[in-house]
Amino acid sequence: MAKEGAEKAEETEQMIEKETGKEPAEGGGGSHRLGDTQEMRAVVLAGFGGLNKLRVSRKAMPEPQDGELKIRVKACGLNFIDLMVRQGNIDNPPKTPLVPGFECSGIVEALGDSVKGYEIGDRVMAFVNYNAWAEVVCTPVEFVYKIPDDMSFSEAAAFPMNFVTAYMMLFEIANLREGMSVLVHSAGGGVGQAVAQLCSTIPNVTVFGTASTFKHEAIKDSVTHLFDRNADYVQEVKRISAEGVDIVLDCLCGDNTGKGLSLLKPLGTYILYGSSNMVTGETKSFFSFAKSWWQVEKVNPIKLYEENKVIAGFSLLNLLFKQGRAGLIRGVVDKLLGLYTQKKIKPTVDSLWALEEVKEAMQRIHDRGNIGKLILDVEKTPTPLMANDSTETSEAGEEEEDHEGDGENKERMPFIQ
């Protein structure tokens, strides 16, 4: 089957170009052949560190193994975890060079042996264990999902990480029900907006959110009570609800852990699903890591028992790729797509960026400037000024330039699409 799919690759690519109204790509985009090896564009992280470690390079195009699908990528999701990966600010980081990215959308181009239920030409979204930021990816069939006809590729790339994370925390861990209350940090981000939309599907749920002040006007209708991210939100919440809240969703960590636990009602649930407070500068900071770790309140199980409180953690990527829960996640995705079809939820896309603009896109997330999800649009033409230092025609050249730029810490203005 892999051979059959490969033979149809060119036909599928033409179908993709026809769908978007584009002529076959020349020069910067599309696949190329070097001898007998077909190549693709991909974002490559040469080493852990700052933005200068990222380049767009040409790499050998992968082919599907047994049980895998080959996807011609149309759009990729950019998440805060990608910044932490770039810095090497995660447990057991993989070896570099690597292609970042964990989610994408596109069109099935080839099927590996034993793959059933999919056909060449299917529109899909997928989780990928790295390698998503490329023109072509291969990933096991259990991580791939067909998308509705009316869902755009940018929406599909914004869907899996954010909405599955939000759903799992609210319904699988915290058991959200009618009349409950939720506090969510970074309410203007991709997960924050997904949480707000899913809460709106349950009657009489009160949502407290924290976000940068400049985002308030744009997201004020999605949450019940909105506070500035730098304000004393504990007192603000207690002024409105003296007992506190039923659910706290914390992607910040640090001293917010203790604050979140203090706000829980009896039988309330605190869930940690990120640690963005550890990311302060462009590169990994031991001081920020140590400060965040030191500020985390040391949990006393006896105190949890006495106060009837629950503390939990959630990592979607670990659940998928290390703990083998792909079947559970497929059921969640089916429910979420049902809500999308009913027009009860819809991914919030902040902006679209070319692969060559990945540095500027990452800077926008780092500056907390996004409302919703940033998307890497594989077919988007880059703004010339942005692409100048982000494109590398060979991996050998990339390595050489990367060492020359080790001392750089360039200032970049975020570009708002």
mmCIF file of all heavy atoms in Angstrom, residues 196-231:
data_model
loop_
_atom_site.group_PDB
_atom_site.id
_atom_site.type_symbol
_atom_site.label_atom_id
_atom_site.label_comp_id
_atom_site.label_asym_id
_atom_site.label_seq_id
_atom_site.Cartn_x
_atom_site.Cartn_y
_atom_site.Cartn_z
ATOM 1 N N ALA A 196 -13.330 28.111 27.888
ATOM 2 C CA ALA A 196 -14.500 28.993 27.972
ATOM 3 C C ALA A 196 -15.642 28.487 27.098
ATOM 4 O O ALA A 196 -16.815 28.479 27.515
ATOM 5 C CB ALA A 196 -14.108 30.413 27.569
ATOM 6 N N GLN A 197 -15.325 28.041 25.880
ATOM 7 C CA GLN A 197 -16.376 27.543 24.984
ATOM 8 C C GLN A 197 -17.007 26.264 25.512
ATOM 9 O O GLN A 197 -18.234 26.097 25.452
ATOM 10 C CB GLN A 197 -15.797 27.309 23.594
ATOM 11 C CG GLN A 197 -15.429 28.588 22.856
ATOM 12 C CD GLN A 197 -14.996 28.311 21.425
ATOM 13 O OE1 GLN A 197 -15.500 27.404 20.773
ATOM 14 N NE2 GLN A 197 -14.058 29.089 20.926
ATOM 15 N N LEU A 198 -16.200 25.353 26.024
ATOM 16 C CA LEU A 198 -16.746 24.094 26.542
ATOM 17 C C LEU A 198 -17.583 24.339 27.800
ATOM 18 O O LEU A 198 -18.602 23.665 28.009
ATOM 19 C CB LEU A 198 -15.619 23.105 26.839
ATOM 20 C CG LEU A 198 -14.946 22.514 25.594
ATOM 21 C CD1 LEU A 198 -13.716 21.698 25.979
ATOM 22 C CD2 LEU A 198 -15.928 21.626 24.825
ATOM 23 N N CYS A 199 -17.181 25.285 28.624
ATOM 24 C CA CYS A 199 -17.985 25.624 29.810
ATOM 25 C C CYS A 199 -19.357 26.156 29.405
ATOM 26 O O CYS A 199 -20.355 25.925 30.099
ATOM 27 C CB CYS A 199 -17.251 26.653 30.667
ATOM 28 S SG CYS A 199 -15.869 25.987 31.622
ATOM 29 N N SER A 200 -19.415 26.838 28.251
ATOM 30 C CA SER A 200 -20.691 27.405 27.803
ATOM 31 C C SER A 200 -21.672 26.325 27.350
ATOM 32 O O SER A 200 -22.861 26.606 27.169
ATOM 33 C CB SER A 200 -20.452 28.393 26.662
ATOM 34 O OG SER A 200 -20.066 27.725 25.474
ATOM 35 N N THR A 201 -21.190 25.086 27.165
ATOM 36 C CA THR A 201 -22.089 23.998 26.771
ATOM 37 C C THR A 201 -22.815 23.394 27.968
ATOM 38 O O THR A 201 -23.704 22.557 27.786
ATOM 39 C CB THR A 201 -21.316 22.876 26.043
ATOM 40 O OG1 THR A 201 -20.399 22.234 26.953
ATOM 41 C CG2 THR A 201 -20.537 23.435 24.857
ATOM 42 N N ILE A 202 -22.435 23.796 29.190
ATOM 43 C CA ILE A 202 -23.062 23.308 30.421
ATOM 44 C C ILE A 202 -23.804 24.465 31.074
ATOM 45 O O ILE A 202 -23.249 25.558 31.221
ATOM 46 C CB ILE A 202 -22.009 22.741 31.394
ATOM 47 C CG1 ILE A 202 -21.168 21.661 30.713
ATOM 48 C CG2 ILE A 202 -22.673 22.198 32.656
ATOM 49 C CD1 ILE A 202 -21.941 20.447 30.263
ATOM 50 N N PRO A 203 -25.056 24.276 31.476
ATOM 51 C CA PRO A 203 -25.837 25.386 32.042
ATOM 52 C C PRO A 203 -25.227 25.951 33.327
ATOM 53 O O PRO A 203 -24.687 25.224 34.157
ATOM 54 C CB PRO A 203 -27.210 24.738 32.341
ATOM 55 C CG PRO A 203 -27.268 23.532 31.463
ATOM 56 C CD PRO A 203 -25.858 23.041 31.349
ATOM 57 N N ASN A 204 -25.296 27.266 33.436
ATOM 58 C CA ASN A 204 -24.985 27.987 34.680
ATOM 59 C C ASN A 204 -23.576 27.737 35.211
ATOM 60 O O ASN A 204 -23.367 27.648 36.425
ATOM 61 C CB ASN A 204 -26.012 27.627 35.765
ATOM 62 C CG ASN A 204 -27.431 27.939 35.352
ATOM 63 O OD1 ASN A 204 -27.694 28.969 34.735
ATOM 64 N ND2 ASN A 204 -28.351 27.029 35.643
ATOM 65 N N VAL A 205 -22.607 27.625 34.332
ATOM 66 C CA VAL A 205 -21.210 27.517 34.767
ATOM 67 C C VAL A 205 -20.599 28.918 34.792
ATOM 68 O O VAL A 205 -20.689 29.663 33.809
ATOM 69 C CB VAL A 205 -20.394 26.602 33.831
ATOM 70 C CG1 VAL A 205 -18.910 26.677 34.171
ATOM 71 C CG2 VAL A 205 -20.891 25.167 33.947
ATOM 72 N N THR A 206 -19.984 29.277 35.911
ATOM 73 C CA THR A 206 -19.337 30.577 36.062
ATOM 74 C C THR A 206 -17.848 30.424 35.758
ATOM 75 O O THR A 206 -17.173 29.579 36.341
ATOM 76 C CB THR A 206 -19.509 31.113 37.492
ATOM 77 O OG1 THR A 206 -20.902 31.228 37.789
ATOM 78 C CG2 THR A 206 -18.848 32.471 37.648
ATOM 79 N N VAL A 207 -17.349 31.234 34.829
ATOM 80 C CA VAL A 207 -15.940 31.163 34.436
ATOM 81 C C VAL A 207 -15.218 32.426 34.883
ATOM 82 O O VAL A 207 -15.586 33.539 34.486
ATOM 83 C CB VAL A 207 -15.793 30.990 32.915
ATOM 84 C CG1 VAL A 207 -14.310 30.928 32.538
ATOM 85 C CG2 VAL A 207 -16.517 29.738 32.438
ATOM 86 N N PHE A 208 -14.210 32.253 35.730
ATOM 87 C CA PHE A 208 -13.305 33.324 36.105
ATOM 88 C C PHE A 208 -12.047 33.168 35.255
ATOM 89 O O PHE A 208 -11.502 32.066 35.133
ATOM 90 C CB PHE A 208 -12.917 33.239 37.586
ATOM 91 C CG PHE A 208 -14.061 33.386 38.545
ATOM 92 C CD1 PHE A 208 -14.810 32.275 38.936
ATOM 93 C CD2 PHE A 208 -14.396 34.623 39.072
ATOM 94 C CE1 PHE A 208 -15.860 32.394 39.831
ATOM 95 C CE2 PHE A 208 -15.459 34.755 39.972
ATOM 96 C CZ PHE A 208 -16.195 33.645 40.352
ATOM 97 N N GLY A 209 -11.567 34.263 34.678
ATOM 98 C CA GLY A 209 -10.386 34.172 33.838
ATOM 99 C C GLY A 209 -9.384 35.264 34.139
ATOM 100 O O GLY A 209 -9.753 36.380 34.527
ATOM 101 N N THR A 210 -8.092 34.952 33.979
ATOM 102 C CA THR A 210 -7.049 35.969 34.053
ATOM 103 C C THR A 210 -6.415 36.092 32.670
ATOM 104 O O THR A 210 -6.231 35.103 31.966
ATOM 105 C CB THR A 210 -5.964 35.615 35.081
ATOM 106 O OG1 THR A 210 -5.208 34.477 34.633
ATOM 107 C CG2 THR A 210 -6.578 35.318 36.444
ATOM 108 N N ALA A 211 -6.080 37.336 32.294
ATOM 109 C CA ALA A 211 -5.465 37.593 30.987
ATOM 110 C C ALA A 211 -4.866 38.992 31.005
ATOM 111 O O ALA A 211 -5.218 39.832 31.848
ATOM 112 C CB ALA A 211 -6.504 37.479 29.865
ATOM 113 N N SER A 212 -3.965 39.248 30.081
ATOM 114 C CA SER A 212 -3.393 40.589 29.943
ATOM 115 C C SER A 212 -4.511 41.581 29.634
ATOM 116 O O SER A 212 -5.454 41.271 28.905
ATOM 117 C CB SER A 212 -2.355 40.605 28.821
ATOM 118 O OG SER A 212 -1.314 39.687 29.083
ATOM 119 N N THR A 213 -4.385 42.787 30.178
ATOM 120 C CA THR A 213 -5.457 43.775 30.077
ATOM 121 C C THR A 213 -5.840 44.068 28.625
ATOM 122 O O THR A 213 -7.027 44.235 28.312
ATOM 123 C CB THR A 213 -5.032 45.080 30.770
ATOM 124 O OG1 THR A 213 -4.680 44.802 32.130
ATOM 125 C CG2 THR A 213 -6.160 46.098 30.749
ATOM 126 N N PHE A 214 -4.857 44.106 27.724
ATOM 127 C CA PHE A 214 -5.170 44.477 26.343
ATOM 128 C C PHE A 214 -6.028 43.434 25.641
ATOM 129 O O PHE A 214 -6.591 43.702 24.579
ATOM 130 C CB PHE A 214 -3.885 44.729 25.545
ATOM 131 C CG PHE A 214 -3.117 43.492 25.169
ATOM 132 C CD1 PHE A 214 -3.380 42.829 23.971
ATOM 133 C CD2 PHE A 214 -2.137 42.985 26.006
ATOM 134 C CE1 PHE A 214 -2.673 41.694 23.627
ATOM 135 C CE2 PHE A 214 -1.421 41.860 25.662
ATOM 136 C CZ PHE A 214 -1.692 41.206 24.466
ATOM 137 N N LYS A 215 -6.154 42.237 26.222
ATOM 138 C CA LYS A 215 -6.984 41.189 25.617
ATOM 139 C C LYS A 215 -8.442 41.243 26.102
ATOM 140 O O LYS A 215 -9.305 40.563 25.539
ATOM 141 C CB LYS A 215 -6.425 39.810 25.938
ATOM 142 C CG LYS A 215 -5.040 39.531 25.397
ATOM 143 C CD LYS A 215 -4.605 38.107 25.699
ATOM 144 C CE LYS A 215 -3.215 37.820 25.193
ATOM 145 N NZ LYS A 215 -2.799 36.409 25.429
ATOM 146 N N HIS A 216 -8.692 41.992 27.147
ATOM 147 C CA HIS A 216 -10.000 41.930 27.805
ATOM 148 C C HIS A 216 -11.154 42.262 26.878
ATOM 149 O O HIS A 216 -12.200 41.596 26.915
ATOM 150 C CB HIS A 216 -10.001 42.848 29.031
ATOM 151 C CG HIS A 216 -9.217 42.301 30.183
ATOM 152 N ND1 HIS A 216 -9.367 42.739 31.485
ATOM 153 C CD2 HIS A 216 -8.266 41.332 30.237
ATOM 154 C CE1 HIS A 216 -8.543 42.070 32.279
ATOM 155 N NE2 HIS A 216 -7.862 41.220 31.542
ATOM 156 N N GLU A 217 -10.998 43.290 26.074
ATOM 157 C CA GLU A 217 -12.096 43.700 25.200
ATOM 158 C C GLU A 217 -12.456 42.582 24.226
ATOM 159 O O GLU A 217 -13.631 42.332 23.949
ATOM 160 C CB GLU A 217 -11.703 44.965 24.435
ATOM 161 C CG GLU A 217 -12.804 45.505 23.518
ATOM 162 C CD GLU A 217 -14.041 45.965 24.279
ATOM 163 O OE1 GLU A 217 -13.910 46.346 25.460
ATOM 164 O OE2 GLU A 217 -15.146 45.929 23.696
ATOM 165 N N ALA A 218 -11.439 41.877 23.734
ATOM 166 C CA ALA A 218 -11.672 40.839 22.729
ATOM 167 C C ALA A 218 -12.307 39.584 23.312
ATOM 168 O O ALA A 218 -13.039 38.877 22.613
ATOM 169 C CB ALA A 218 -10.364 40.481 22.032
ATOM 170 N N ILE A 219 -12.043 39.280 24.586
ATOM 171 C CA ILE A 219 -12.511 38.009 25.158
ATOM 172 C C ILE A 219 -13.548 38.186 26.259
ATOM 173 O O ILE A 219 -13.962 37.194 26.871
ATOM 174 C CB ILE A 219 -11.329 37.179 25.705
ATOM 175 C CG1 ILE A 219 -10.695 37.874 26.918
ATOM 176 C CG2 ILE A 219 -10.285 36.951 24.630
ATOM 177 C CD1 ILE A 219 -9.627 37.034 27.614
ATOM 178 N N LYS A 220 -13.990 39.402 26.483
ATOM 179 C CA LYS A 220 -14.877 39.665 27.626
ATOM 180 C C LYS A 220 -16.184 38.884 27.565
ATOM 181 O O LYS A 220 -16.762 38.543 28.601
ATOM 182 C CB LYS A 220 -15.178 41.160 27.732
ATOM 183 C CG LYS A 220 -15.945 41.728 26.540
ATOM 184 C CD LYS A 220 -16.168 43.224 26.698
ATOM 185 C CE LYS A 220 -16.962 43.780 25.513
ATOM 186 N NZ LYS A 220 -17.173 45.246 25.660
ATOM 187 N N ASP A 221 -16.650 38.561 26.367
ATOM 188 C CA ASP A 221 -17.920 37.842 26.239
ATOM 189 C C ASP A 221 -17.768 36.341 26.453
ATOM 190 O O ASP A 221 -18.770 35.625 26.579
ATOM 191 C CB ASP A 221 -18.531 38.090 24.856
ATOM 192 C CG ASP A 221 -18.949 39.534 24.660
ATOM 193 O OD1 ASP A 221 -19.228 40.210 25.672
ATOM 194 O OD2 ASP A 221 -18.969 39.993 23.498
ATOM 195 N N SER A 222 -16.530 35.844 26.492
ATOM 196 C CA SER A 222 -16.336 34.399 26.625
ATOM 197 C C SER A 222 -16.208 33.937 28.067
ATOM 198 O O SER A 222 -16.298 32.743 28.346
ATOM 199 C CB SER A 222 -15.085 33.969 25.836
ATOM 200 O OG SER A 222 -13.918 34.542 26.384
ATOM 201 N N VAL A 223 -15.975 34.871 28.987
ATOM 202 C CA VAL A 223 -15.859 34.503 30.406
ATOM 203 C C VAL A 223 -16.813 35.370 31.225
ATOM 204 O O VAL A 223 -17.219 36.451 30.808
ATOM 205 C CB VAL A 223 -14.422 34.671 30.919
ATOM 206 C CG1 VAL A 223 -13.460 33.769 30.179
ATOM 207 C CG2 VAL A 223 -13.966 36.114 30.826
ATOM 208 N N THR A 224 -17.132 34.873 32.417
ATOM 209 C CA THR A 224 -18.088 35.594 33.269
ATOM 210 C C THR A 224 -17.421 36.753 33.993
ATOM 211 O O THR A 224 -17.954 37.865 34.056
ATOM 212 C CB THR A 224 -18.690 34.636 34.308
ATOM 213 O OG1 THR A 224 -19.043 33.395 33.681
ATOM 214 C CG2 THR A 224 -19.927 35.240 34.945
ATOM 215 N N HIS A 225 -16.234 36.491 34.549
ATOM 216 C CA HIS A 225 -15.479 37.517 35.286
ATOM 217 C C HIS A 225 -14.034 37.469 34.815
ATOM 218 O O HIS A 225 -13.400 36.411 34.812
ATOM 219 C CB HIS A 225 -15.542 37.269 36.800
ATOM 220 C CG HIS A 225 -16.939 37.194 37.347
ATOM 221 N ND1 HIS A 225 -17.740 38.300 37.511
ATOM 222 C CD2 HIS A 225 -17.667 36.120 37.766
ATOM 223 C CE1 HIS A 225 -18.915 37.923 38.019
ATOM 224 N NE2 HIS A 225 -18.894 36.605 38.171
ATOM 225 N N LEU A 226 -13.497 38.641 34.432
ATOM 226 C CA LEU A 226 -12.173 38.705 33.850
ATOM 227 C C LEU A 226 -11.279 39.620 34.669
ATOM 228 O O LEU A 226 -11.662 40.740 35.025
ATOM 229 C CB LEU A 226 -12.283 39.237 32.411
ATOM 230 C CG LEU A 226 -11.090 39.128 31.489
ATOM 231 C CD1 LEU A 226 -10.594 37.688 31.385
ATOM 232 C CD2 LEU A 226 -11.471 39.652 30.094
ATOM 233 N N PHE A 227 -10.068 39.123 34.986
ATOM 234 C CA PHE A 227 -9.126 39.890 35.806
ATOM 235 C C PHE A 227 -7.802 40.045 35.073
ATOM 236 O O PHE A 227 -7.422 39.191 34.254
ATOM 237 C CB PHE A 227 -8.864 39.195 37.154
ATOM 238 C CG PHE A 227 -10.110 38.748 37.854
ATOM 239 C CD1 PHE A 227 -10.318 37.401 38.114
ATOM 240 C CD2 PHE A 227 -11.090 39.649 38.230
ATOM 241 C CE1 PHE A 227 -11.457 36.965 38.760
ATOM 242 C CE2 PHE A 227 -12.244 39.229 38.867
ATOM 243 C CZ PHE A 227 -12.435 37.885 39.134
ATOM 244 N N ASP A 228 -7.080 41.117 35.396
ATOM 245 C CA ASP A 228 -5.752 41.298 34.836
ATOM 246 C C ASP A 228 -4.813 40.234 35.391
ATOM 247 O O ASP A 228 -4.877 39.882 36.572
ATOM 248 C CB ASP A 228 -5.215 42.685 35.181
ATOM 249 C CG ASP A 228 -3.834 42.927 34.593
ATOM 250 O OD1 ASP A 228 -3.734 43.130 33.374
ATOM 251 O OD2 ASP A 228 -2.842 42.872 35.359
ATOM 252 N N ARG A 229 -3.934 39.713 34.539
ATOM 253 C CA ARG A 229 -3.054 38.613 34.929
ATOM 254 C C ARG A 229 -2.101 38.999 36.053
ATOM 255 O O ARG A 229 -1.579 38.133 36.752
ATOM 256 C CB ARG A 229 -2.263 38.107 33.714
ATOM 257 C CG ARG A 229 -1.249 39.079 33.165
ATOM 258 C CD ARG A 229 -0.666 38.574 31.842
ATOM 259 N NE ARG A 229 0.044 37.315 32.009
ATOM 260 C CZ ARG A 229 1.344 37.210 32.199
ATOM 261 N NH1 ARG A 229 2.082 38.318 32.268
ATOM 262 N NH2 ARG A 229 1.924 36.042 32.319
ATOM 263 N N ASN A 230 -1.855 40.312 36.244
ATOM 264 C CA ASN A 230 -0.941 40.764 37.291
ATOM 265 C C ASN A 230 -1.664 41.235 38.552
ATOM 266 O O ASN A 230 -1.018 41.647 39.514
ATOM 267 C CB ASN A 230 -0.056 41.902 36.757
ATOM 268 C CG ASN A 230 0.829 41.445 35.609
ATOM 269 O OD1 ASN A 230 1.471 40.403 35.694
ATOM 270 N ND2 ASN A 230 0.859 42.223 34.525
ATOM 271 N N ALA A 231 -2.989 41.170 38.545
ATOM 272 C CA ALA A 231 -3.767 41.640 39.703
ATOM 273 C C ALA A 231 -3.831 40.564 40.780
ATOM 274 O O ALA A 231 -3.460 39.399 40.558
ATOM 275 C CB ALA A 231 -5.174 42.018 39.248
#
